[in-house]
Amino acid sequence: MAVVVRMLLARILALIPLVLGVVLFVFIVMRFSPVDTAVAALGDANPTPEQLQQFRQENGLLDPLPVQYVHFVWHLLQGDFGTSVITREPVGQVIATALPLTVQLTLLGLLIAIVAGLVLGVTSALFRDRWPDQLIRIVTLAGVAAPAFWIAVLLVQWLAVGEGLFPTSGYVSPADSFGGWLNSLTLPAISLALPVAAQLTRIIRTSMVEELDKDYVRTARGGGLPPVVVVGRNVLRNALINPLTVLGLRVGYLLGGAVVIETMFALPGMGQNMIQAVKDGDTAKVQGFVITIAVGFVLVNLIVDVLYLIVNPRLRSRS
């Protein structure tokens, strides 16, 4: 346990410069954006050049970039993402409203991907080179090649428009109706999950096949241990080490894919709000959304590192 805590603290300390680098990158990109924040904020009022200059002066847009960055980071450390120059609302408040839906969609998609990847990957490995394996490999190859938005279009045409089983758009809060919530997020979550599930299936199959060919498996089977015990207690545990590493990266894909999927299904999450902010030229909102998603991705990979440490005793012993 002490080893896990020590390595966790080391990972957290290593993430601090990474997060600061992400914040710096987003800050620089937004400052060199062709969008003029003053024009975006005052454009509807036909401002004079003097009014635009006054707005820039009042909002610190004329300060040197290092000064702007220090002020920006200082406010971030206090939980202040700034204020939207378009809607005049705190960006942190908008994020707090939109983030829960994106987290729900990502976690539901992740759950579907993990369950499908485990079932299909283990089945494919256990029936290696037989028809279930061949069928699963063909399906997963198609799943890896298919983008999430294309899968979403097919699912909407088939299950929403054709069969009428799910809504084509909209969101129901779980506080209002759990069934309605699940119904509204099922198609978006499946659209996000299928490409990730296909990749996990292929990785789990490969890892399982490698483990099944090792001597300890043959020894355990020769000793009379039931196949369920051999596969469940030893093979699967060892085979999940490599998929765990990939899973952390795939969560980033789910977060990024949610931007497009939320827009397609009219879900009021981070994605739809970010795209609207880009259209409006709302710099404060865009950088707030991007930093939140980037930091979320970093934290998810921290969790995956801890899980990797837990399931890999050899790494703990080397530490």
Side-chain angles (χ1 to χ4, degrees):
M1 185 63 184
V3 175
V4 175
V5 174
R6 187 168 62 251
M7 292 197 67
L8 177 60
L9 292 176
R11 293 285 197 280
I12 293 175
L13 291 176
L15 289 179
I16 293 176
L18 176 60
V19 172
L20 290 176
V22 169
V23 172
L24 176 62
F25 176 76
V26 173
F27 175 83
I28 292 177
V29 169
M30 296 309 300
R31 288 305 178 275
F32 284 96
S33 168
V35 176
D36 189 327
T37 303
V39 174
L42 304 176
D44 293 339
N46 296 321
T48 63
E50 291 76 16
Q51 290 173 321
L52 292 174
Q53 194 70 0
Q54 181 181 357
F55 178 90
R56 298 186 184 103
Q57 183 69 39
E58 292 174 351
N59 289 273
L61 299 177
L62 299 180
D63 294 338
L65 283 181
V67 175
Q68 293 186 45
Y69 177 68
V70 171
H71 288 165
F72 181 61
V73 172
W74 175 247
H75 284 93
L76 279 182
L77 293 176
Q78 302 176 65
D80 181 10
F81 286 86
T83 302
S84 168
V85 296
I86 307 297
T87 61
R88 302 296 180 182
E89 57 186 336
V91 175
Q93 181 179 327
V94 179
I95 293 175
T97 302
L99 182 60
L101 191 153
T102 300
V103 172
Q104 293 167 25
L105 177 59
T106 302
L107 291 180
L108 186 57
L110 183 62
L111 177 62
I112 295 172
I114 291 175
V115 172
L118 276 174
V119 173
L120 294 177
V122 172
T123 302
S124 183
L126 294 178
F127 291 90
R128 177 175 27 170
D129 296 330
R130 286 180 274 177
W131 72 264
D133 179 31
Q134 299 294 343
L135 178 61
I136 291 173
R137 291 168 71 180
I138 293 173
V139 172
T140 54
L141 181 61
V144 170
F149 70 87
W150 184 75
I151 294 175
V153 171
L154 294 182
L155 290 177
V156 168
Q157 289 293 327
W158 175 31
L159 297 177
V161 177
E163 301 295 332
L165 298 177
F166 299 96
T168 58
S169 62
Y171 171 72
V172 177
S173 171
D176 298 331
S177 170
F178 179 79
W181 169 81
L182 189 60
N183 202 38
S184 65
L185 288 188
T186 296
L187 289 188
I190 293 176
S191 303
L192 278 177
L194 286 184
V196 177
Q199 294 173 359
L200 284 178
T201 298
R202 297 171 68 86
I203 296 169
I204 291 173
R205 178 197 179 276
T206 301
S207 298
M208 285 282 296
V209 167
E210 291 177 355
E211 289 296 320
L212 289 170
D213 287 340
K214 291 184 177 179
D215 292 337
Y216 78 88
V217 176
R218 288 190 288 270
T219 302
R221 286 175 172 173
L225 285 177
V228 174
V229 175
V230 176
V231 173
R233 183 181 298 176
N234 302 110
V235 175
L236 187 58
R237 178 185 177 93
N238 294 331
L240 288 180
I241 294 176
N242 290 333
L244 262 180
T245 306
V246 177
L247 186 61
L249 300 176
R250 293 301 92 195
V251 172
Y253 168 85
L254 291 173
L255 285 170
V259 173
V260 178
I261 296 300
E262 286 177 1
T263 304
M264 294 183 65
F265 287 91
L267 300 175
M270 295 280 286
Q272 190 176 27
N273 279 276
M274 184 190 303
I275 291 179
Q276 186 60 48
V278 171
K279 291 179 180 178
D280 296 339
D282 198 333
T283 304
K285 280 187 179 181
V286 173
Q287 65 187 12
F289 292 144
V290 173
I291 289 173
T292 301
I293 292 176
V295 171
F297 176 66
V298 170
L299 293 178
V300 166
N301 278 273
L302 174 62
I303 295 173
V304 171
D305 285 343
V306 175
L307 294 176
Y308 185 81
L309 179 64
I310 292 174
V311 302
N312 191 351
R314 290 172 295 182
L315 185 59
R316 294 200 300 272
S317 63
R318 287 199 302 266
S319 303

